[in-house]
């Protein structure tokens, strides 16, 4: 202990006994023992606090890594989704232009083949027939 052997400790105690006296020496020894015990306890608490701080730091670092991974994955997914939407929109635009041309061509054929006389409105006739089958309406 601090490079002190038994002869040095006995010499220190003898000097303390002469200086302090036999009545006060036990009280001072108790106080010194309590002080050393409190110092050890405070040192242990400090060590535990440092260990807890290190544990929290490790947990915090792990959480930051997980957060970074999640953000990276979300950004990659969003980029892939945006690319997919852009690709789909481009292909839909191509599909729409083809279908519009087909519709125009079909419309022209229908107009050429339409009868010359007046055409009856079949949708109105179908609606009238549906009301007759249901009976009188509640509005009337």
């Amino acid at each position: 202990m601090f490079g002190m052997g038994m002869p040095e400790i006995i010499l220190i105690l003898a000097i303390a006994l002469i200086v302090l006296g036999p009545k006060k020496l036990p009280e001072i020894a108790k106080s010194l023992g309590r002080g050393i015990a409190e110092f050890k306890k405070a040192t242990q608490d400090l060590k535990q606090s440092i260990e807890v701080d290190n544990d929290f730091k490790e947990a915090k670092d792990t959480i930051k890594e997980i957060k970074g991974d999640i953000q990276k994955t979300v950004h990659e997914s969003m980029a892939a989704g945006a690319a997919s939407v852009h690709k789909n929109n481009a292909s839909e635009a191509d599909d729409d232009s083809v279908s519009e041309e087909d519709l125009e061509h079909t419309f022209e054929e229908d107009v050429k083949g339409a009868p010359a006389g007046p055409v009856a409105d079949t949708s109105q006739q179908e609606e009238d027939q549906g009301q007759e089958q249901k009976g009188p309406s509640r509005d009337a």
Side-chain angles (χ1 to χ4, degrees), residues 26-66:
E27 293 173 15
I28 293 175
K30 281 183 184 179
S31 297
L32 187 61
R34 287 183 190 143
I36 291 173
E38 287 179 19
F39 181 74
K40 285 183 179 180
K41 184 179 178 186
T43 305
Q44 271 186 334
D45 289 343
L46 182 63
K47 285 181 182 179
Q48 288 177 351
S49 175
I50 291 171
E51 289 175 6
V52 168
D53 287 343
N54 286 338
D55 290 343
F56 281 131
K57 184 179 178 184
E58 289 174 9
K60 186 177 178 182
D61 291 343
T62 304
I63 290 171
K64 283 183 180 180
E65 288 175 12
I66 292 170

PDB file of all heavy atoms in Angstrom, residues 26-66:
ATOM      1  N   PRO A  26      -8.538   7.085  19.128  1.00  0.00           N
ATOM      2  CA  PRO A  26      -9.611   6.230  18.609  1.00  0.00           C
ATOM      3  C   PRO A  26     -10.707   7.009  17.869  1.00  0.00           C
ATOM      4  O   PRO A  26     -11.220   6.562  16.841  1.00  0.00           O
ATOM      5  CB  PRO A  26     -10.187   5.561  19.858  1.00  0.00           C
ATOM      6  CG  PRO A  26      -9.134   5.663  20.888  1.00  0.00           C
ATOM      7  CD  PRO A  26      -8.352   6.894  20.558  1.00  0.00           C
ATOM      8  N   GLU A  27     -11.052   8.208  18.356  1.00  0.00           N
ATOM      9  CA  GLU A  27     -12.066   9.015  17.674  1.00  0.00           C
ATOM     10  C   GLU A  27     -11.585   9.450  16.290  1.00  0.00           C
ATOM     11  O   GLU A  27     -12.345   9.408  15.315  1.00  0.00           O
ATOM     12  CB  GLU A  27     -12.388  10.259  18.519  1.00  0.00           C
ATOM     13  CG  GLU A  27     -13.069   9.943  19.830  1.00  0.00           C
ATOM     14  CD  GLU A  27     -13.205  11.180  20.706  1.00  0.00           C
ATOM     15  OE1 GLU A  27     -13.031  12.313  20.189  1.00  0.00           O
ATOM     16  OE2 GLU A  27     -13.497  11.016  21.891  1.00  0.00           O
ATOM     17  N   ILE A  28     -10.364   9.865  16.201  1.00  0.00           N
ATOM     18  CA  ILE A  28      -9.804  10.296  14.917  1.00  0.00           C
ATOM     19  C   ILE A  28      -9.692   9.105  13.969  1.00  0.00           C
ATOM     20  O   ILE A  28      -9.960   9.228  12.772  1.00  0.00           O
ATOM     21  CB  ILE A  28      -8.445  10.986  15.127  1.00  0.00           C
ATOM     22  CG1 ILE A  28      -8.663  12.294  15.888  1.00  0.00           C
ATOM     23  CG2 ILE A  28      -7.763  11.243  13.803  1.00  0.00           C
ATOM     24  CD1 ILE A  28      -7.389  13.016  16.266  1.00  0.00           C
ATOM     25  N   ALA A  29      -9.339   7.932  14.492  1.00  0.00           N
ATOM     26  CA  ALA A  29      -9.245   6.734  13.657  1.00  0.00           C
ATOM     27  C   ALA A  29     -10.627   6.367  13.098  1.00  0.00           C
ATOM     28  O   ALA A  29     -10.744   5.990  11.923  1.00  0.00           O
ATOM     29  CB  ALA A  29      -8.658   5.580  14.455  1.00  0.00           C
ATOM     30  N   LYS A  30     -11.699   6.477  13.932  1.00  0.00           N
ATOM     31  CA  LYS A  30     -13.059   6.208  13.454  1.00  0.00           C
ATOM     32  C   LYS A  30     -13.432   7.194  12.340  1.00  0.00           C
ATOM     33  O   LYS A  30     -13.990   6.807  11.311  1.00  0.00           O
ATOM     34  CB  LYS A  30     -14.071   6.336  14.600  1.00  0.00           C
ATOM     35  CG  LYS A  30     -14.139   5.153  15.508  1.00  0.00           C
ATOM     36  CD  LYS A  30     -15.232   5.387  16.544  1.00  0.00           C
ATOM     37  CE  LYS A  30     -15.287   4.264  17.554  1.00  0.00           C
ATOM     38  NZ  LYS A  30     -16.340   4.500  18.565  1.00  0.00           N
ATOM     39  N   SER A  31     -13.145   8.459  12.576  1.00  0.00           N
ATOM     40  CA  SER A  31     -13.471   9.474  11.570  1.00  0.00           C
ATOM     41  C   SER A  31     -12.711   9.228  10.272  1.00  0.00           C
ATOM     42  O   SER A  31     -13.267   9.346   9.173  1.00  0.00           O
ATOM     43  CB  SER A  31     -13.128  10.870  12.098  1.00  0.00           C
ATOM     44  OG  SER A  31     -13.898  11.174  13.219  1.00  0.00           O
ATOM     45  N   LEU A  32     -11.446   8.886  10.402  1.00  0.00           N
ATOM     46  CA  LEU A  32     -10.619   8.592   9.229  1.00  0.00           C
ATOM     47  C   LEU A  32     -11.147   7.359   8.491  1.00  0.00           C
ATOM     48  O   LEU A  32     -11.235   7.353   7.259  1.00  0.00           O
ATOM     49  CB  LEU A  32      -9.157   8.373   9.644  1.00  0.00           C
ATOM     50  CG  LEU A  32      -8.154   8.228   8.520  1.00  0.00           C
ATOM     51  CD1 LEU A  32      -8.109   9.462   7.652  1.00  0.00           C
ATOM     52  CD2 LEU A  32      -6.780   7.927   9.082  1.00  0.00           C
ATOM     53  N   GLY A  33     -11.548   6.324   9.234  1.00  0.00           N
ATOM     54  CA  GLY A  33     -12.120   5.110   8.631  1.00  0.00           C
ATOM     55  C   GLY A  33     -13.427   5.418   7.886  1.00  0.00           C
ATOM     56  O   GLY A  33     -13.665   4.928   6.769  1.00  0.00           O
ATOM     57  N   ARG A  34     -14.300   6.243   8.500  1.00  0.00           N
ATOM     58  CA  ARG A  34     -15.550   6.632   7.832  1.00  0.00           C
ATOM     59  C   ARG A  34     -15.268   7.434   6.559  1.00  0.00           C
ATOM     60  O   ARG A  34     -15.928   7.252   5.534  1.00  0.00           O
ATOM     61  CB  ARG A  34     -16.412   7.459   8.785  1.00  0.00           C
ATOM     62  CG  ARG A  34     -17.041   6.641   9.877  1.00  0.00           C
ATOM     63  CD  ARG A  34     -17.951   7.492  10.749  1.00  0.00           C
ATOM     64  NE  ARG A  34     -18.351   6.744  11.927  1.00  0.00           N
ATOM     65  CZ  ARG A  34     -18.504   7.254  13.134  1.00  0.00           C
ATOM     66  NH1 ARG A  34     -18.279   8.543  13.327  1.00  0.00           N
ATOM     67  NH2 ARG A  34     -18.885   6.503  14.136  1.00  0.00           N
ATOM     68  N   GLY A  35     -14.317   8.329   6.647  1.00  0.00           N
ATOM     69  CA  GLY A  35     -13.948   9.147   5.481  1.00  0.00           C
ATOM     70  C   GLY A  35     -13.438   8.281   4.328  1.00  0.00           C
ATOM     71  O   GLY A  35     -13.817   8.491   3.170  1.00  0.00           O
ATOM     72  N   ILE A  36     -12.610   7.308   4.675  1.00  0.00           N
ATOM     73  CA  ILE A  36     -12.082   6.402   3.636  1.00  0.00           C
ATOM     74  C   ILE A  36     -13.205   5.562   3.045  1.00  0.00           C
ATOM     75  O   ILE A  36     -13.270   5.360   1.830  1.00  0.00           O
ATOM     76  CB  ILE A  36     -10.954   5.521   4.211  1.00  0.00           C
ATOM     77  CG1 ILE A  36      -9.730   6.395   4.509  1.00  0.00           C
ATOM     78  CG2 ILE A  36     -10.588   4.417   3.236  1.00  0.00           C
ATOM     79  CD1 ILE A  36      -8.612   5.666   5.238  1.00  0.00           C
ATOM     80  N   ALA A  37     -14.133   5.079   3.900  1.00  0.00           N
ATOM     81  CA  ALA A  37     -15.267   4.277   3.412  1.00  0.00           C
ATOM     82  C   ALA A  37     -16.157   5.115   2.476  1.00  0.00           C
ATOM     83  O   ALA A  37     -16.585   4.638   1.422  1.00  0.00           O
ATOM     84  CB  ALA A  37     -16.073   3.747   4.587  1.00  0.00           C
ATOM     85  N   GLU A  38     -16.425   6.361   2.857  1.00  0.00           N
ATOM     86  CA  GLU A  38     -17.232   7.226   1.998  1.00  0.00           C
ATOM     87  C   GLU A  38     -16.508   7.519   0.681  1.00  0.00           C
ATOM     88  O   GLU A  38     -17.135   7.578  -0.378  1.00  0.00           O
ATOM     89  CB  GLU A  38     -17.558   8.534   2.724  1.00  0.00           C
ATOM     90  CG  GLU A  38     -18.584   8.366   3.838  1.00  0.00           C
ATOM     91  CD  GLU A  38     -18.875   9.683   4.553  1.00  0.00           C
ATOM     92  OE1 GLU A  38     -18.586  10.755   3.981  1.00  0.00           O
ATOM     93  OE2 GLU A  38     -19.405   9.618   5.675  1.00  0.00           O
ATOM     94  N   PHE A  39     -15.215   7.711   0.747  1.00  0.00           N
ATOM     95  CA  PHE A  39     -14.432   7.953  -0.463  1.00  0.00           C
ATOM     96  C   PHE A  39     -14.506   6.743  -1.402  1.00  0.00           C
ATOM     97  O   PHE A  39     -14.693   6.893  -2.614  1.00  0.00           O
ATOM     98  CB  PHE A  39     -12.967   8.265  -0.093  1.00  0.00           C
ATOM     99  CG  PHE A  39     -12.106   8.550  -1.276  1.00  0.00           C
ATOM    100  CD1 PHE A  39     -12.213   9.751  -1.960  1.00  0.00           C
ATOM    101  CD2 PHE A  39     -11.185   7.610  -1.719  1.00  0.00           C
ATOM    102  CE1 PHE A  39     -11.413  10.017  -3.050  1.00  0.00           C
ATOM    103  CE2 PHE A  39     -10.392   7.864  -2.809  1.00  0.00           C
ATOM    104  CZ  PHE A  39     -10.497   9.068  -3.482  1.00  0.00           C
ATOM    105  N   LYS A  40     -14.393   5.539  -0.844  1.00  0.00           N
ATOM    106  CA  LYS A  40     -14.496   4.321  -1.663  1.00  0.00           C
ATOM    107  C   LYS A  40     -15.889   4.201  -2.290  1.00  0.00           C
ATOM    108  O   LYS A  40     -16.030   3.843  -3.460  1.00  0.00           O
ATOM    109  CB  LYS A  40     -14.205   3.080  -0.818  1.00  0.00           C
ATOM    110  CG  LYS A  40     -12.751   2.881  -0.505  1.00  0.00           C
ATOM    111  CD  LYS A  40     -12.532   1.590   0.281  1.00  0.00           C
ATOM    112  CE  LYS A  40     -11.076   1.360   0.584  1.00  0.00           C
ATOM    113  NZ  LYS A  40     -10.864   0.119   1.340  1.00  0.00           N
ATOM    114  N   LYS A  41     -16.922   4.509  -1.475  1.00  0.00           N
ATOM    115  CA  LYS A  41     -18.290   4.427  -1.979  1.00  0.00           C
ATOM    116  C   LYS A  41     -18.496   5.433  -3.122  1.00  0.00           C
ATOM    117  O   LYS A  41     -19.100   5.118  -4.156  1.00  0.00           O
ATOM    118  CB  LYS A  41     -19.292   4.688  -0.856  1.00  0.00           C
ATOM    119  CG  LYS A  41     -20.726   4.535  -1.289  1.00  0.00           C
ATOM    120  CD  LYS A  41     -21.681   4.774  -0.136  1.00  0.00           C
ATOM    121  CE  LYS A  41     -23.106   4.661  -0.637  1.00  0.00           C
ATOM    122  NZ  LYS A  41     -24.069   5.023   0.405  1.00  0.00           N
ATOM    123  N   ALA A  42     -18.011   6.647  -2.940  1.00  0.00           N
ATOM    124  CA  ALA A  42     -18.145   7.669  -3.981  1.00  0.00           C
ATOM    125  C   ALA A  42     -17.393   7.246  -5.243  1.00  0.00           C
ATOM    126  O   ALA A  42     -17.871   7.452  -6.366  1.00  0.00           O
ATOM    127  CB  ALA A  42     -17.622   9.008  -3.474  1.00  0.00           C
ATOM    128  N   THR A  43     -16.231   6.645  -5.068  1.00  0.00           N
ATOM    129  CA  THR A  43     -15.456   6.171  -6.218  1.00  0.00           C
ATOM    130  C   THR A  43     -16.208   5.075  -6.963  1.00  0.00           C
ATOM    131  O   THR A  43     -16.254   5.073  -8.202  1.00  0.00           O
ATOM    132  CB  THR A  43     -14.084   5.644  -5.755  1.00  0.00           C
ATOM    133  OG1 THR A  43     -13.416   6.662  -5.009  1.00  0.00           O
ATOM    134  CG2 THR A  43     -13.219   5.245  -6.918  1.00  0.00           C
ATOM    135  N   GLN A  44     -16.814   4.139  -6.208  1.00  0.00           N
ATOM    136  CA  GLN A  44     -17.601   3.073  -6.846  1.00  0.00           C
ATOM    137  C   GLN A  44     -18.802   3.645  -7.599  1.00  0.00           C
ATOM    138  O   GLN A  44     -19.105   3.225  -8.719  1.00  0.00           O
ATOM    139  CB  GLN A  44     -18.095   2.074  -5.794  1.00  0.00           C
ATOM    140  CG  GLN A  44     -17.138   0.955  -5.518  1.00  0.00           C
ATOM    141  CD  GLN A  44     -17.773  -0.072  -4.577  1.00  0.00           C
ATOM    142  OE1 GLN A  44     -18.659   0.252  -3.784  1.00  0.00           O
ATOM    143  NE2 GLN A  44     -17.319  -1.305  -4.682  1.00  0.00           N
ATOM    144  N   ASP A  45     -19.487   4.610  -6.966  1.00  0.00           N
ATOM    145  CA  ASP A  45     -20.630   5.240  -7.633  1.00  0.00           C
ATOM    146  C   ASP A  45     -20.202   5.931  -8.929  1.00  0.00           C
ATOM    147  O   ASP A  45     -20.897   5.862  -9.939  1.00  0.00           O
ATOM    148  CB  ASP A  45     -21.318   6.243  -6.712  1.00  0.00           C
ATOM    149  CG  ASP A  45     -22.067   5.576  -5.573  1.00  0.00           C
ATOM    150  OD1 ASP A  45     -22.331   4.348  -5.663  1.00  0.00           O
ATOM    151  OD2 ASP A  45     -22.396   6.286  -4.595  1.00  0.00           O
ATOM    152  N   LEU A  46     -19.067   6.592  -8.888  1.00  0.00           N
ATOM    153  CA  LEU A  46     -18.552   7.259 -10.072  1.00  0.00           C
ATOM    154  C   LEU A  46     -18.230   6.249 -11.177  1.00  0.00           C
ATOM    155  O   LEU A  46     -18.575   6.462 -12.345  1.00  0.00           O
ATOM    156  CB  LEU A  46     -17.315   8.086  -9.727  1.00  0.00           C
ATOM    157  CG  LEU A  46     -16.697   8.874 -10.880  1.00  0.00           C
ATOM    158  CD1 LEU A  46     -17.673   9.918 -11.400  1.00  0.00           C
ATOM    159  CD2 LEU A  46     -15.398   9.521 -10.447  1.00  0.00           C
ATOM    160  N   LYS A  47     -17.613   5.137 -10.796  1.00  0.00           N
ATOM    161  CA  LYS A  47     -17.311   4.085 -11.782  1.00  0.00           C
ATOM    162  C   LYS A  47     -18.589   3.535 -12.408  1.00  0.00           C
ATOM    163  O   LYS A  47     -18.668   3.344 -13.612  1.00  0.00           O
ATOM    164  CB  LYS A  47     -16.524   2.941 -11.127  1.00  0.00           C
ATOM    165  CG  LYS A  47     -15.080   3.250 -10.855  1.00  0.00           C
ATOM    166  CD  LYS A  47     -14.388   2.049 -10.227  1.00  0.00           C
ATOM    167  CE  LYS A  47     -12.950   2.327  -9.888  1.00  0.00           C
ATOM    168  NZ  LYS A  47     -12.295   1.170  -9.261  1.00  0.00           N
ATOM    169  N   GLN A  48     -19.604   3.269 -11.563  1.00  0.00           N
ATOM    170  CA  GLN A  48     -20.878   2.758 -12.084  1.00  0.00           C
ATOM    171  C   GLN A  48     -21.541   3.774 -12.997  1.00  0.00           C
ATOM    172  O   GLN A  48     -22.108   3.421 -14.031  1.00  0.00           O
ATOM    173  CB  GLN A  48     -21.810   2.385 -10.923  1.00  0.00           C
ATOM    174  CG  GLN A  48     -21.396   1.143 -10.190  1.00  0.00           C
ATOM    175  CD  GLN A  48     -22.304   0.849  -9.003  1.00  0.00           C
ATOM    176  OE1 GLN A  48     -23.142   1.673  -8.626  1.00  0.00           O
ATOM    177  NE2 GLN A  48     -22.127  -0.334  -8.412  1.00  0.00           N
ATOM    178  N   SER A  49     -21.470   5.043 -12.614  1.00  0.00           N
ATOM    179  CA  SER A  49     -22.054   6.093 -13.443  1.00  0.00           C
ATOM    180  C   SER A  49     -21.365   6.150 -14.809  1.00  0.00           C
ATOM    181  O   SER A  49     -22.029   6.292 -15.841  1.00  0.00           O
ATOM    182  CB  SER A  49     -21.932   7.440 -12.730  1.00  0.00           C
ATOM    183  OG  SER A  49     -22.384   8.479 -13.565  1.00  0.00           O
ATOM    184  N   ILE A  50     -20.062   6.018 -14.808  1.00  0.00           N
ATOM    185  CA  ILE A  50     -19.309   6.019 -16.072  1.00  0.00           C
ATOM    186  C   ILE A  50     -19.683   4.809 -16.912  1.00  0.00           C
ATOM    187  O   ILE A  50     -19.866   4.916 -18.130  1.00  0.00           O
ATOM    188  CB  ILE A  50     -17.793   6.076 -15.797  1.00  0.00           C
ATOM    189  CG1 ILE A  50     -17.417   7.447 -15.234  1.00  0.00           C
ATOM    190  CG2 ILE A  50     -16.998   5.792 -17.070  1.00  0.00           C
ATOM    191  CD1 ILE A  50     -15.992   7.535 -14.733  1.00  0.00           C
ATOM    192  N   GLU A  51     -19.824   3.649 -16.273  1.00  0.00           N
ATOM    193  CA  GLU A  51     -20.217   2.441 -17.006  1.00  0.00           C
ATOM    194  C   GLU A  51     -21.618   2.593 -17.601  1.00  0.00           C
ATOM    195  O   GLU A  51     -21.862   2.212 -18.738  1.00  0.00           O
ATOM    196  CB  GLU A  51     -20.158   1.219 -16.083  1.00  0.00           C
ATOM    197  CG  GLU A  51     -18.751   0.792 -15.724  1.00  0.00           C
ATOM    198  CD  GLU A  51     -18.719  -0.340 -14.707  1.00  0.00           C
ATOM    199  OE1 GLU A  51     -19.790  -0.875 -14.362  1.00  0.00           O
ATOM    200  OE2 GLU A  51     -17.610  -0.680 -14.264  1.00  0.00           O
ATOM    201  N   VAL A  52     -22.544   3.173 -16.809  1.00  0.00           N
ATOM    202  CA  VAL A  52     -23.904   3.390 -17.301  1.00  0.00           C
ATOM    203  C   VAL A  52     -23.868   4.368 -18.478  1.00  0.00           C
ATOM    204  O   VAL A  52     -24.550   4.163 -19.489  1.00  0.00           O
ATOM    205  CB  VAL A  52     -24.822   3.905 -16.168  1.00  0.00           C
ATOM    206  CG1 VAL A  52     -26.145   4.416 -16.711  1.00  0.00           C
ATOM    207  CG2 VAL A  52     -25.054   2.811 -15.150  1.00  0.00           C
ATOM    208  N   ASP A  53     -23.070   5.435 -18.355  1.00  0.00           N
ATOM    209  CA  ASP A  53     -22.953   6.393 -19.452  1.00  0.00           C
ATOM    210  C   ASP A  53     -22.417   5.715 -20.714  1.00  0.00           C
ATOM    211  O   ASP A  53     -22.885   5.987 -21.816  1.00  0.00           O
ATOM    212  CB  ASP A  53     -22.045   7.556 -19.066  1.00  0.00           C
ATOM    213  CG  ASP A  53     -22.695   8.515 -18.067  1.00  0.00           C
ATOM    214  OD1 ASP A  53     -23.937   8.472 -17.923  1.00  0.00           O
ATOM    215  OD2 ASP A  53     -21.955   9.305 -17.438  1.00  0.00           O
ATOM    216  N   ASN A  54     -21.437   4.836 -20.527  1.00  0.00           N
ATOM    217  CA  ASN A  54     -20.892   4.108 -21.680  1.00  0.00           C
ATOM    218  C   ASN A  54     -21.948   3.199 -22.299  1.00  0.00           C
ATOM    219  O   ASN A  54     -22.043   3.091 -23.526  1.00  0.00           O
ATOM    220  CB  ASN A  54     -19.664   3.288 -21.279  1.00  0.00           C
ATOM    221  CG  ASN A  54     -18.441   4.146 -21.043  1.00  0.00           C
ATOM    222  OD1 ASN A  54     -18.362   5.264 -21.541  1.00  0.00           O
ATOM    223  ND2 ASN A  54     -17.494   3.635 -20.284  1.00  0.00           N
ATOM    224  N   ASP A  55     -22.755   2.533 -21.452  1.00  0.00           N
ATOM    225  CA  ASP A  55     -23.825   1.677 -21.960  1.00  0.00           C
ATOM    226  C   ASP A  55     -24.843   2.501 -22.747  1.00  0.00           C
ATOM    227  O   ASP A  55     -25.292   2.096 -23.818  1.00  0.00           O
ATOM    228  CB  ASP A  55     -24.525   0.934 -20.816  1.00  0.00           C
ATOM    229  CG  ASP A  55     -23.638  -0.130 -20.181  1.00  0.00           C
ATOM    230  OD1 ASP A  55     -22.631  -0.522 -20.811  1.00  0.00           O
ATOM    231  OD2 ASP A  55     -23.965  -0.560 -19.057  1.00  0.00           O
ATOM    232  N   PHE A  56     -25.205   3.669 -22.187  1.00  0.00           N
ATOM    233  CA  PHE A  56     -26.150   4.540 -22.884  1.00  0.00           C
ATOM    234  C   PHE A  56     -25.559   5.049 -24.197  1.00  0.00           C
ATOM    235  O   PHE A  56     -26.254   5.171 -25.200  1.00  0.00           O
ATOM    236  CB  PHE A  56     -26.573   5.726 -22.016  1.00  0.00           C
ATOM    237  CG  PHE A  56     -27.620   5.383 -21.001  1.00  0.00           C
ATOM    238  CD1 PHE A  56     -27.466   5.749 -19.673  1.00  0.00           C
ATOM    239  CD2 PHE A  56     -28.774   4.715 -21.363  1.00  0.00           C
ATOM    240  CE1 PHE A  56     -28.433   5.437 -18.732  1.00  0.00           C
ATOM    241  CE2 PHE A  56     -29.754   4.396 -20.430  1.00  0.00           C
ATOM    242  CZ  PHE A  56     -29.575   4.765 -19.107  1.00  0.00           C
ATOM    243  N   LYS A  57     -24.277   5.344 -24.168  1.00  0.00           N
ATOM    244  CA  LYS A  57     -23.624   5.823 -25.389  1.00  0.00           C
ATOM    245  C   LYS A  57     -23.648   4.731 -26.461  1.00  0.00           C
ATOM    246  O   LYS A  57     -23.935   5.005 -27.627  1.00  0.00           O
ATOM    247  CB  LYS A  57     -22.186   6.235 -25.096  1.00  0.00           C
ATOM    248  CG  LYS A  57     -21.481   6.826 -26.295  1.00  0.00           C
ATOM    249  CD  LYS A  57     -20.065   7.252 -25.970  1.00  0.00           C
ATOM    250  CE  LYS A  57     -19.382   7.801 -27.209  1.00  0.00           C
ATOM    251  NZ  LYS A  57     -17.991   8.129 -26.968  1.00  0.00           N
ATOM    252  N   GLU A  58     -23.367   3.491 -26.066  1.00  0.00           N
ATOM    253  CA  GLU A  58     -23.410   2.383 -27.017  1.00  0.00           C
ATOM    254  C   GLU A  58     -24.822   2.194 -27.553  1.00  0.00           C
ATOM    255  O   GLU A  58     -25.014   1.996 -28.760  1.00  0.00           O
ATOM    256  CB  GLU A  58     -22.919   1.100 -26.351  1.00  0.00           C
ATOM    257  CG  GLU A  58     -21.434   1.077 -26.068  1.00  0.00           C
ATOM    258  CD  GLU A  58     -21.003  -0.152 -25.283  1.00  0.00           C
ATOM    259  OE1 GLU A  58     -21.829  -1.069 -25.097  1.00  0.00           O
ATOM    260  OE2 GLU A  58     -19.839  -0.199 -24.852  1.00  0.00           O
ATOM    261  N   ALA A  59     -25.822   2.272 -26.672  1.00  0.00           N
ATOM    262  CA  ALA A  59     -27.211   2.123 -27.110  1.00  0.00           C
ATOM    263  C   ALA A  59     -27.595   3.268 -28.045  1.00  0.00           C
ATOM    264  O   ALA A  59     -28.260   3.060 -29.061  1.00  0.00           O
ATOM    265  CB  ALA A  59     -28.148   2.093 -25.903  1.00  0.00           C
ATOM    266  N   LYS A  60     -27.158   4.470 -27.712  1.00  0.00           N
ATOM    267  CA  LYS A  60     -27.451   5.632 -28.544  1.00  0.00           C
ATOM    268  C   LYS A  60     -26.805   5.473 -29.926  1.00  0.00           C
ATOM    269  O   LYS A  60     -27.436   5.766 -30.938  1.00  0.00           O
ATOM    270  CB  LYS A  60     -26.929   6.894 -27.849  1.00  0.00           C
ATOM    271  CG  LYS A  60     -27.294   8.177 -28.530  1.00  0.00           C
ATOM    272  CD  LYS A  60     -26.791   9.369 -27.720  1.00  0.00           C
ATOM    273  CE  LYS A  60     -27.095  10.676 -28.399  1.00  0.00           C
ATOM    274  NZ  LYS A  60     -26.572  11.813 -27.638  1.00  0.00           N
ATOM    275  N   ASP A  61     -25.565   5.012 -29.957  1.00  0.00           N
ATOM    276  CA  ASP A  61     -24.889   4.787 -31.233  1.00  0.00           C
ATOM    277  C   ASP A  61     -25.612   3.723 -32.059  1.00  0.00           C
ATOM    278  O   ASP A  61     -25.778   3.874 -33.274  1.00  0.00           O
ATOM    279  CB  ASP A  61     -23.431   4.368 -31.008  1.00  0.00           C
ATOM    280  CG  ASP A  61     -22.580   5.509 -30.438  1.00  0.00           C
ATOM    281  OD1 ASP A  61     -23.007   6.675 -30.524  1.00  0.00           O
ATOM    282  OD2 ASP A  61     -21.493   5.206 -29.895  1.00  0.00           O
ATOM    283  N   THR A  62     -26.059   2.670 -31.397  1.00  0.00           N
ATOM    284  CA  THR A  62     -26.799   1.610 -32.094  1.00  0.00           C
ATOM    285  C   THR A  62     -28.097   2.157 -32.674  1.00  0.00           C
ATOM    286  O   THR A  62     -28.452   1.859 -33.819  1.00  0.00           O
ATOM    287  CB  THR A  62     -27.104   0.449 -31.128  1.00  0.00           C
ATOM    288  OG1 THR A  62     -25.875  -0.029 -30.562  1.00  0.00           O
ATOM    289  CG2 THR A  62     -27.818  -0.682 -31.837  1.00  0.00           C
ATOM    290  N   ILE A  63     -28.802   2.967 -31.894  1.00  0.00           N
ATOM    291  CA  ILE A  63     -30.054   3.553 -32.365  1.00  0.00           C
ATOM    292  C   ILE A  63     -29.787   4.474 -33.551  1.00  0.00           C
ATOM    293  O   ILE A  63     -30.545   4.480 -34.527  1.00  0.00           O
ATOM    294  CB  ILE A  63     -30.774   4.300 -31.220  1.00  0.00           C
ATOM    295  CG1 ILE A  63     -31.297   3.288 -30.211  1.00  0.00           C
ATOM    296  CG2 ILE A  63     -31.900   5.174 -31.743  1.00  0.00           C
ATOM    297  CD1 ILE A  63     -31.835   3.897 -28.943  1.00  0.00           C
ATOM    298  N   LYS A  64     -28.708   5.262 -33.490  1.00  0.00           N
ATOM    299  CA  LYS A  64     -28.369   6.134 -34.614  1.00  0.00           C
ATOM    300  C   LYS A  64     -28.077   5.322 -35.869  1.00  0.00           C
ATOM    301  O   LYS A  64     -28.484   5.698 -36.968  1.00  0.00           O
ATOM    302  CB  LYS A  64     -27.154   7.002 -34.275  1.00  0.00           C
ATOM    303  CG  LYS A  64     -27.482   8.166 -33.375  1.00  0.00           C
ATOM    304  CD  LYS A  64     -26.270   9.033 -33.140  1.00  0.00           C
ATOM    305  CE  LYS A  64     -26.581  10.207 -32.243  1.00  0.00           C
ATOM    306  NZ  LYS A  64     -25.397  11.050 -32.023  1.00  0.00           N
ATOM    307  N   GLU A  65     -27.368   4.194 -35.718  1.00  0.00           N
ATOM    308  CA  GLU A  65     -27.083   3.339 -36.870  1.00  0.00           C
ATOM    309  C   GLU A  65     -28.372   2.776 -37.463  1.00  0.00           C
ATOM    310  O   GLU A  65     -28.559   2.768 -38.679  1.00  0.00           O
ATOM    311  CB  GLU A  65     -26.162   2.187 -36.457  1.00  0.00           C
ATOM    312  CG  GLU A  65     -24.734   2.600 -36.164  1.00  0.00           C
ATOM    313  CD  GLU A  65     -23.895   1.448 -35.651  1.00  0.00           C
ATOM    314  OE1 GLU A  65     -24.334   0.285 -35.725  1.00  0.00           O
ATOM    315  OE2 GLU A  65     -22.780   1.712 -35.170  1.00  0.00           O
ATOM    316  N   ILE A  66     -29.273   2.325 -36.592  1.00  0.00           N
ATOM    317  CA  ILE A  66     -30.558   1.779 -37.061  1.00  0.00           C
ATOM    318  C   ILE A  66     -31.355   2.865 -37.764  1.00  0.00           C
ATOM    319  O   ILE A  66     -31.938   2.636 -38.826  1.00  0.00           O
ATOM    320  CB  ILE A  66     -31.349   1.177 -35.882  1.00  0.00           C
ATOM    321  CG1 ILE A  66     -30.637  -0.084 -35.363  1.00  0.00           C
ATOM    322  CG2 ILE A  66     -32.772   0.860 -36.293  1.00  0.00           C
ATOM    323  CD1 ILE A  66     -31.208  -0.608 -34.067  1.00  0.00           C
TER     324      ILE A  66
END
